[in-house]
Amino acid sequence: MFKGNALVIGASGGIGKTLVKQLIESGCYENVYGVSRTFPEGPVKGVNYHTLDSENETLVSEYCQQLKDSGIQFTLVVCCIGALQTIGPNNLKVKPEKRLEDIQSQQLNYYFTVNSILPALWLKHVEALLKGAQPSTLVFFSARVASIEDNQLGGWYGYRASKAALNMLIKCAQIECQRRAKNICLVSYHPGTVATNLSQPFQSNVPEGKLFTADFTVTQLLRIIPSLSPENGPHYIDWQGRDIPW
Ligand SMILES: NC(=O)c1ccc[n+]([C@@H]2O[C@H](COP(=O)([O-])OP(=O)(O)OC[C@H]3O[C@@H](n4cnc5c(N)ncnc54)[C@H](OP(=O)(O)O)[C@@H]3O)[C@@H](O)[C@H]2O)c1
C-alpha cells in the first residue's frame, strides 16, 4: 500500500505536537516531518524535526528545497502556526482588541505576520512538494471567527481579520492549483476551542463540554481529511466536518 509523507508546520504548539504524535501512531505515513520556531517540549519519537524562523523566508525556501533535493514528496501538510494573545518582538503585548480604541498598528502587523503572511510563505514553498500524481491535502488552521458572514459579535479585529485574510489566500491558491496542481486539496480548518496555550486566557468563558482536547480535534481532522477533494475545494470546515460560511 502506498504510504506518503506528512509535514506539520508549527509542530511545537499544543495542536501541532498532538498532530505529529497521531500521525506517527497511525502508521499511515512513511515519514513524519515537524518544523517549528522552537524545538518542541516532549518531542515524539520517530519525527524528523527541524527548527527554523518562519519569518525568514530564505530559511523556509532552503528547507523546502533540501526536502525536494532529497526526493521527499508529501501527501499531507498541515500548518498550525497562529497567535492570539502573546508577547511579540520587542516585548510587544498582543491581545485581542475589544473596541476600536484598542486597535494599534504594531499589533495588527503582528497578527497579519503570524496568521496570514507566514502561512502564505509556507503555501508558496510547499506547493512544489505536494504536486504530483497522488491526492494531497494542505490544511491551514484558521478559525470560525474568521468567517465574515458568521461574525455576530465583533471585536478581536486583528485575529479575525488576519485569519479571514488567510482564508482568502487559501481560496486564491485553490483556484491556481486547479490549473497547475489538480491533486492538491486546500482546507481551512476550525478546530473548536482547544485547551492549549493559545486559548488559555479565554477558557473560563467556554461553555461546559465545549473545551476540546488537542487529541479530539486532531482525531476529527484526520477522520475528515479522506472525505475531502480538490474539485469542490477549498474547504472551510469545522471539527465536525461541517462547512463554515466564508
Ligand atoms: N486552541 C484553540 O482554541 C484554537 C481555536 C481556533 C483556531 N486555532 C488555531 O489553531 C492553530 C494552533 O493553535 P494552538 O492552539 O496549538 O496554539 P499554540 O499552542 O499557541 O501553538 C501555536 C503555534 O504557532 C507557532 N507560532 C506562533 N508565533 C509564531 C511565529 N512568529 N513564528 C513561527 N511560529 C509561530 C508556535 O511556535 P512556538 O512554539 O515556537 O511559539 C506554535 O507552534 C493556530 O493557528 C490557532 O490560531 C486554535
Side-chain angles (χ1 to χ4, degrees), residues 14-231:
I15 293 174
K17 269 194 293 198
T18 305
L19 182 54
V20 290
K21 182 171 150 280
Q22 287 204 19
L23 290 171
I24 289 277
E25 285 170 359
S26 74
C28 295
Y29 294 89
E30 192 71 41
N31 293 294
V32 176
Y33 292 76
V35 63
S36 51
R37 178 173 61 160
T38 53
F39 193 78
E41 276 176 39
V44 176
K45 209 174 153 210
V47 176
N48 300 285
Y49 284 110
H50 185 80
T51 53
L52 61 77
D53 178 6
S54 294
E55 291 186 43
N56 182 339
E57 187 183 352
T58 307
L59 297 179
V60 172
S61 161
E62 283 172 0
Y63 174 65
C64 291
Q65 190 60 47
Q66 276 165 22
L67 292 168
K68 197 168 180 218
D69 293 345
S70 314
I72 303 291
Q73 281 285 121
F74 294 104
T75 51
L76 178 65
V77 174
V78 184
C79 178
C80 303
I81 290 177
L84 174 56
Q85 180 160 316
T86 189
I87 304 292
N90 303 320
N91 252 347
L92 175 72
K93 280 203 181 99
V94 179
K95 193 174 173 186
E97 310 87 345
K98 288 193 175 146
R99 45 194 205 137
L100 283 170
E101 287 80 353
D102 297 336
I103 291 178
Q104 293 165 18
S105 87
Q106 281 180 315
Q107 171 165 301
L108 271 185
N109 262 306
Y110 194 69
Y111 275 129
F112 278 94
T113 298
V114 178
N115 294 328
S116 336
I117 297 170
L118 299 188
L121 295 177
W122 277 103
L123 170 59
K124 170 180 168 185
H125 291 287
V126 296
E127 187 253 2
L129 299 167
L130 281 154
K131 72 175 168 198
Q134 296 296 334
S136 301
T137 310
L138 178 47
V139 181
F140 290 90
F141 272 75
S142 178
R144 189 188 298 280
V145 295
S147 168
I148 291 172
E149 201 179 320
D150 194 48
N151 183 0
Q152 309 294 330
L153 284 176
W156 292 24
Y157 288 85
Y159 187 71
R160 283 184 189 273
S162 57
K163 290 286 192 183
L166 169 65
N167 282 354
M168 181 58 92
L169 291 157
I170 293 169
K171 175 84 183 168
C172 290
Q174 185 74 74
I175 292 168
E176 192 170 348
C177 285
Q178 273 151 9
R179 291 197 296 272
R180 59 188 239 180
K182 288 185 193 301
N183 65 313
I184 300 178
C185 177
L186 279 118
V187 182
S188 171
Y189 183 67
H190 169 62
T193 306
V194 184
T196 63
N197 287 342
L198 182 137
S199 67
Q200 205 278 329
F202 312 97
Q203 289 174 6
S204 58
N205 304 328
V206 180
E208 206 172 324
K210 291 287 180 197
L211 181 63
F212 302 145
T213 62
D215 254 318
F216 172 75
T217 199
V218 166
T219 302
Q220 290 295 103
L221 174 65
L222 298 182
R223 190 181 58 77
I224 294 163
I225 283 173
S227 66
L228 306 174
S229 67
E231 293 77 43

